[in-house]
Amino acid sequence: MEAVVMAAAKTLPISSLKCGATKSATTASQKKTLSLSSCSVRQAPDFLRDLSVTVAGGRNVKSSRKLQVTAAVAEDRRIEQESMLSEKPATLLRDGQDAEDKNGLRARFEQMVFRIQNEVCAAVEAVDGGKFREDAWSRPGGGGGVSRVLQGGNVWEKAGVNVSVVYGSMPPEAYRAATGSATKKPGRIPFFASGVSSVMHPKNPFAPTLHFNYRYFETDAPEGVEGAPRAWWFGGGTDFTPSYLFEEDVKYFHQTQKNACDKYDPAFYPKFKKWCDDYFLIKHRGERRGLGGIFFDDLNDRDPNELLAFATECADSVIPGYIPIIEKRKDMPFTQEHKDWQQLRRGRYVEFNLVYDRGTTFGLQTGGRIESILMSLPLTARWEYDHQPEEGTEEWKLLDACRNPREWL
Amino acid sequence: MEAVVMAAAKTLPISSLKCGATKSATTASQKKTLSLSSCSVRQAPDFLRDLSVTVAGGRNVKSSRKLQVTAAVAEDRRIEQESMLSEKPATLLRDGQDAEDKNGLRARFEQMVFRIQNEVCAAVEAVDGGKFREDAWSRPGGGGGVSRVLQGGNVWEKAGVNVSVVYGSMPPEAYRAATGSATKKPGRIPFFASGVSSVMHPKNPFAPTLHFNYRYFETDAPEGVEGAPRAWWFGGGTDFTPSYLFEEDVKYFHQTQKNACDKYDPAFYPKFKKWCDDYFLIKHRGERRGLGGIFFDDLNDRDPNELLAFATECADSVIPGYIPIIEKRKDMPFTQEHKDWQQLRRGRYVEFNLVYDRGTTFGLQTGGRIESILMSLPLTARWEYDHQPEEGTEEWKLLDACRNPREWL
C-alpha cells in the first residue's frame, strides 16, 4: 500500500526557492542514509543536493484513506502560518547565532538580498514614478518575508520584489540512521533557505517582463545524529520575456548576463544560458515563456565566499541589464493589436508559472504566503482559441524565437 | 532505482475525460492482475475503476537518466498526433464493430454527446447572435474530436463545446499475467473513452460561467489474455461560477440539477452536490472556483442503460438550467469595478484549471489537442496583489459562498 500511496501522491522538487514558499532539502553526504520510501530523486548524479519529497495535497488525492495517509505527510511539511508585521524587521534570521554571526553566510546572503530589493525597487520607482507597497511577515519558528509590490504604476502594471527566509525541516520518516550501528531514531533534518524573487510586468507591449531569483540553502545535521554532514548550495537566475523581438534588446540583456558570468568562469554563461532555455519550457506548447537569460542551481563546487560573490554579481546585473531596455521601450506607441498579443504572451506566462514552475507549485501546496507566491502572475492575461500568428509577422518572429532558442551573442 | 523514478515522475488520474485528451484505464476485475510498480491508485476502495498511471513529462524530470526511463513510459502513453479534418465526420468511432453496432453503448453515447453539442451550441447562438467555429480532427488509431468555439460574441466572450472519442491503451508494464498459470506476457489493455465538455464565459459580470462534462469509459480485456474481464463507467457533472451572488439564480440552477438527479435516485443530488463542492476546491485559496452543481464519477453500479439515461438527463438539463439565467443577466448594467471583480474571479478559474483540474493537467501532459483542452480558459483574466473585498460587499458575499459551501435547496 505504501508504494501505491507514494506513487499516487504528487512529488515536488525542493531545489528552487520561490519567496513566500518553503523548501526541504538534504545533504550531499547523506546519500546512504535516506530512506527512499518517502523521498524521490529529481537529479540522479547529484541527487542529494537536489531532492524531491513527496508532498500531499496534490491533485490525485480523493479517497479518505489516502487523505489520511497523505494528510499526515502534509501536516509534517506544511510551514507555520505567517503573522503580518507592522514594519520590515532588520533581519528575518532567528535570534541568536544566525542573527549575531554577521560574517556568516546566512547573514551576508540576507543582507545582500535586502540590498538588492532596496536597489531594484528604487530603480523601478525612479523610472515609474509610482511607489511600492511593503508587507512584512514572520513565522513563529523563525524566518519570514518582505514583499514589495507596485501595482498600476505608470510604466509597470505589476512589479514585485520579495525577500524571504525560511527555517524548515524534513520529516524523520525521510531519514534512516546514519550508520547501521545507530541505535537512536534520527530527528528531523533542519534546513535554512533565503532568497530574493522578482517579476516585473510593464504596460507597454514593447517593454519586456523580467524575472530574477537568487537563493541560498543550507541543511543542518539531523537532530539526534552527532557528526552527520551538512550541505549548502546557491541557485538562481535572471530571465526576460518580451512580447516583441528587438534583437538589440536581447543581445544587450544576454551580454550583461554573460559579463557577470565571465567574471567568474567562462563556462558559466553557455551552461546557465542553456539551463535557462531548458527550464522555462512550456512543455505542452513546445515553446519557452520568453527569451531566456541564465539559470543555475546546486552550485557548491567552489568556495562559498566565491559563490556568494558570483550570486551577488548576478543580482547586481539586474538593474543595468533591464532598466535601459525599459527606458528605450516604455513610451513607444502601440495599437490594440500589440496589446492583445502582449496579453496572449502573459497568458503563456501564467501557464508556465501555474503548471511548471517548481517554486510556485511547491509553494501553493505547502502553505506559503499565497499572495507573495502569486505576485508573479501578471495583472491581466488573455487566451484566444487557436491563435496562430501569420508567418513572418512580428508576433510570429517572437514565437519562433520562443520555440527555437538561439545563441544571441 | 525504479521506485525512485516512479516516485519522482508525476502521477496523473485517468478517470475524468477532458475532451481533446486521452485516458488510460483498467478493469474492476483485474484487481489482482495489475502490477502496482507502474500503476498507482487514486481511490482505494474501488480502485480498479479509478486508476492513476505514472506518466512522464512531469515537472520533476531533469536528469538524462530519468529522462530515458520516463521517456519510454511517455512514449507508451502519448496519444497519436491528430490530423485536422475538413468537416465533422458522422462518427468518431472506429470503422467496424464500434460504428456498426448502432445499439451499442459506445454508439449511443457518442450520438448523445453529438446531439447535446448541437443543441447547446444552437441555444447559445440563439441568445448570442454569434456563430460557433468548428474544428474536427481524427487520430490514426481511431477516435478524434469536434471542437466548437464561439469567441468574441455578443453575450459570451468565449464559449466552447467539445466532443471527443479516444481509443487508448495501457502499457503492458502495467499488467501481469491474469493468473499464476499464465505463460504468455499480456499485451496492452485497450480502453475507449467518449465525452462532451463545455465551458461558457459570458461578458456581463452578472452572468455566470457554466461548465459541464459527461463521459463514458470502457476497458477491454488485455491483448493476449483470453476471458479476462472488462469494465465500464460513467462520469460527469454540471457546475456554475457566477462572479456575483444572486440567490434566486443559484437556487434555480441547483433545482434543475436536483430535478434531473431525483428522477433516478433521491440520494444522487446530495451526494453529487457535495462531490462537486469537494472537487472544485482551489486548495491554496481555501475557496471553490464557483457555487457548485453536481459531479460524479465511477458510476457503474446499475444497469448501463439506466446510467446512460441518467447521464443524458443531466446533459439535457444544461440548457434549461443555464440559459434562463443568462437571459435574465446578460443585459444588466455594470461598472468597471464589477468587470474587474469578474476578471479576478476568472483568474481563480485559471488557477483551478491549470493547477488542479485533472482533465486539464492530464491532457497537457499526454499530448492531447492543446487548443481544445485550454478552450476552458477565459478570454481574459486578472490577478491583483492581495485583493480583499470588504466584508458585507457584494464581492465579499460571493467569496464567502465560495469559501463556505451552502445547501441552496
Side-chain angles (χ1 to χ4, degrees), chain A residues 1 3-13 15 36 39-45 50 52 54 57-63 65-66 84 133-135 137 147-149 151 158 275 283-285 297-298 343 347-348 350-351 354-358 361-362 364-365 369-372 374-375 377-388, chain B residues 1 3-13 15 36 39-45 50 52 54 57-63 65-66 84 133-135 137 147-149 151 158 275 283-285 297-298 343 347-348 350-351 354-358 361-362 364-365 369-372 374-375 377-388:
Chain A
M1 192 62 203
V4 172
V5 171
M6 281 300 305
K10 267 182 75 71
T11 59
L12 292 164
S15 67
L36 289 174
C39 291
S40 63
V41 173
R42 182 160 69 82
Q43 188 183 31
D50 195 6
S52 295
T54 300
R59 291 166 196 169
N60 304 331
V61 176
K62 189 169 135 195
S63 75
R65 182 169 177 187
K66 189 182 303 158
M84 300 311 290
R133 157 184 168 180
E134 182 175 274
D135 289 312
W137 70 93
S147 276
R148 290 213 192 135
V149 178
Q151 192 168 279
K158 201 168 166 193
W275 204 336
K283 294 186 186 73
H284 58 269
R285 300 274 188 188
D297 207 351
D298 314 323
Q343 293 294 295
R348 302 291 210 270
V350 172
E351 287 179 33
L354 292 182
V355 179
Y356 299 107
D357 186 64
R358 297 196 288 253
T361 53
F362 186 88
L364 293 183
Q365 309 233 7
R369 184 172 182 263
I370 295 301
E371 291 299 331
S372 296
L374 294 184
M375 166 214 83
L377 299 181
L379 186 63
T380 55
R382 182 177 179 90
W383 285 268
E384 289 181 24
Y385 175 73
D386 203 23
H387 186 280
Q388 309 277 4
Chain B
M1 190 62 202
V4 172
V5 172
M6 281 300 304
K10 266 182 77 69
T11 59
L12 291 164
S15 67
L36 289 174
C39 290
S40 63
V41 173
R42 183 159 70 81
Q43 188 182 31
D50 194 5
S52 295
T54 298
R59 290 167 198 170
N60 304 334
V61 176
K62 190 168 137 196
S63 76
R65 182 169 177 186
K66 189 183 303 157
M84 300 310 291
R133 157 185 169 179
E134 182 175 273
D135 290 310
W137 69 95
S147 276
R148 288 209 193 140
V149 178
Q151 191 167 279
K158 201 169 164 192
W275 203 337
K283 294 185 187 75
H284 58 269
R285 300 275 189 187
D297 207 351
D298 313 323
Q343 293 295 294
R348 300 292 210 269
V350 172
E351 287 179 33
L354 293 181
V355 179
Y356 300 107
D357 185 64
R358 296 196 287 254
T361 54
F362 185 88
L364 293 183
Q365 309 235 5
R369 183 171 183 264
I370 296 301
E371 290 299 332
S372 297
L374 294 185
M375 166 214 83
L377 299 181
L379 187 63
T380 54
R382 181 176 179 91
W383 285 268
E384 287 181 24
Y385 175 73
D386 204 23
H387 186 280
Q388 309 277 5

Side-chain angles (χ1 to χ4, degrees), chain A residues 46-82:
Chain A
D46 303 314
F47 79 88
L48 290 154
R49 279 177 296 139
D50 195 6
L51 197 90
S52 295
V53 177
T54 300
V55 175
R59 291 166 196 169
N60 304 331
V61 176
K62 189 169 135 195
S63 75
S64 59
R65 182 169 177 187
K66 189 182 303 158
L67 272 173
Q68 285 170 1
V69 175
T70 49
V73 182
E75 194 58 38
D76 234 12
R77 300 196 21 77
R78 195 162 281 273
I79 57 180
E80 298 162 302
Q81 184 63 38
E82 72 269 7

